[in-house]
Amino acid sequence: MAKIAVLDDWQDVARNSADWSALAARAELVFFADAFGSEDEAAAALADFEILLTMRERTAFPATLIRRLPKLRMIGITGAHVATLDVAACARQGIVVCNTAGGAPAAPYATAELALGLLVAAARSIPAADASIRAGGFQRGVPAGMSLAGKTLGIVGLGRLGARMARYGLALDMNVTAWSPNLTDDKARQGGARMVGKSELIATSDAISIHMVLSPRSRGLIGADDIARMKPGAILVNTSRGPLIEEAALLAGVKAGRIIAALDVFDREPLPRNHPLRGLRHTVLTPHLGYGVAETWAEFYPRSIENALAFLDGKPIRVVDPP
């Protein structure tokens, strides 16, 4: 009987998000709720598995790890592609990679909705207010919030998610500006925003929301000079990828009380227990919940099961071609 690992079920939602019975009748299923601490740990834990069903980019599979998994025959990925999986290395080793034919329809909405939630939570000190109530207090010690109406929301990256966030800003009666390397005036207008240069967006926004894909070009897109130019008390929202912001510069700005960081993503995930962000004021932190809603799981997991069953039948579907 084949051994199948269901990886990175951080919220313990996999079992109840799909009917696993057909797959369980043909294979031994093992669900992993915790992230691996290192490549060595992953290699040891997964050495006996023939099929891995992964969740987005939570566990990276570079060539160095793939070579250490001699029994592996198939990897199922969620979404159309995963930047942290070396598909070419899988092909060289005869490992079939199958996807779930694109992201779940709810995922882009869910991420933009969370970005809006982080923005409002930061603007109105909702986490501090909640903590005060639960500790037996009331308003004392809760920072005064700010109204978002009339303020400027800067969108970095006006794609599908950024354009949705722009519409949310307009619904709040905010002035919306946008910048990205390839943005045009016409596209900005279509997205409900006014195109500006990066420097102007950074300096004039009361809140900035990042919606960019992480790549070698965009890594560290928001650096120390940018954070130094932000308005005092401005809110920086990131639901895309942690490394888009230089972490040291972000920490310095938050520690100094110059900016408020509203973050769903981090340089390393899960966020280490001793990470300085955990102890800082002027933050709102969520554990990479962006795309992770019930509607997403109801798309991803059934398709992952279909992929595994098709592979066991010798007729793999949704196969990802190596580059």
Side-chain angles (χ1 to χ4, degrees):
M1 183 176 280
K3 290 190 69 174
I4 300 178
V6 182
L7 300 183
D8 295 317
D9 184 19
W10 292 352
Q11 286 183 281
D12 195 23
V13 296
R15 291 177 180 83
N16 295 323
S17 297
D19 182 357
W20 297 86
S21 59
L23 194 56
R26 301 181 58 182
E28 178 186 348
L29 298 177
V30 180
F31 293 82
F32 288 82
D34 297 323
F36 300 114
S38 65
E39 185 175 305
D40 287 343
E41 186 179 325
L46 302 177
D48 290 333
F49 288 93
E50 297 165 64
I51 296 176
L52 305 179
L53 301 181
T54 68
M55 179 50 61
R56 302 304 295 130
E57 299 173 355
R58 292 179 178 181
T59 294
F61 284 92
T64 51
L65 176 55
I66 292 165
R67 286 196 296 267
R68 299 170 70 179
L69 303 175
K71 295 184 180 180
L72 186 57
R73 297 162 44 204
M74 178 221 164
I75 294 180
I77 63 173
T78 46
H81 58 84
V82 171
T84 55
L85 170 67
D86 192 327
V87 179
C90 289
R92 289 193 296 270
Q93 200 163 307
I95 299 166
V96 176
V97 178
C98 302
N99 67 19
T100 56
Y109 293 94
T111 302
E113 289 164 3
L114 184 69
L116 172 63
L118 287 170
L119 172 62
V120 174
R124 297 304 303 272
S125 304
I126 291 176
D130 179 81
S132 178
I133 288 279
R134 294 179 188 280
F138 205 64
Q139 290 188 0
R140 187 178 300 277
V142 178
M146 70 170 176
S147 173
L148 293 172
K151 301 297 194 302
T152 297
L153 172 63
I155 307 289
V156 177
L158 199 66
R160 289 186 305 157
L161 275 68
R164 288 194 178 100
M165 188 62 174
R167 291 196 290 272
Y168 298 159
L170 293 173
L172 293 171
D173 290 326
M174 300 185 76
N175 304 307
V176 181
T177 61
W179 170 86
S180 65
N182 300 313
L183 186 64
T184 64
D185 281 321
D186 185 56
K187 187 175 180 181
R189 282 193 297 271
Q190 291 176 17
R194 178 174 61 88
M195 188 179 79
V196 296
K198 181 186 176 186
S199 295
E200 181 179 345
L201 183 144
I202 294 292
T204 61
S205 295
D206 299 285
I208 297 170
S209 190
I210 301 174
H211 301 277
M212 294 282 291
V213 174
L214 179 63
S215 69
R217 286 183 59 198
S218 63
R219 184 177 291 270
L221 183 70
I222 305 298
D225 290 344
D226 299 307
I227 290 175
R229 286 198 302 272
M230 288 176 64
K231 285 184 175 183
I235 300 167
L236 182 58
V237 180
N238 189 8
T239 55
S240 294
R241 290 293 183 270
L244 291 166
I245 305 172
E246 289 183 9
E247 185 178 67
L250 174 69
L251 288 170
V254 173
K255 285 179 180 177
R258 289 199 66 258
I259 65 169
I260 300 169
L263 309 174
D264 186 51
V265 290
F266 308 93
D267 277 30
R268 181 180 172 188
E269 296 180 1
L271 189 68
R273 288 182 179 273
N274 61 349
H275 196 282
L277 274 172
R278 291 184 182 271
L280 289 180
R281 299 179 61 202
H282 310 296
T283 59
V284 179
L285 309 176
T286 52
H288 203 153
L289 299 177
Y291 65 90
V293 291
E295 292 84 356
T296 299
W297 308 137
E299 292 277 343
F300 278 164
Y301 284 119
R303 291 182 185 179
S304 294
I305 292 169
E306 290 173 358
N307 288 343
L309 287 171
F311 179 81
L312 291 174
D313 287 336
K315 300 175 181 179
I317 57 175
R318 308 187 186 109
V319 176
V320 178
D321 293 325

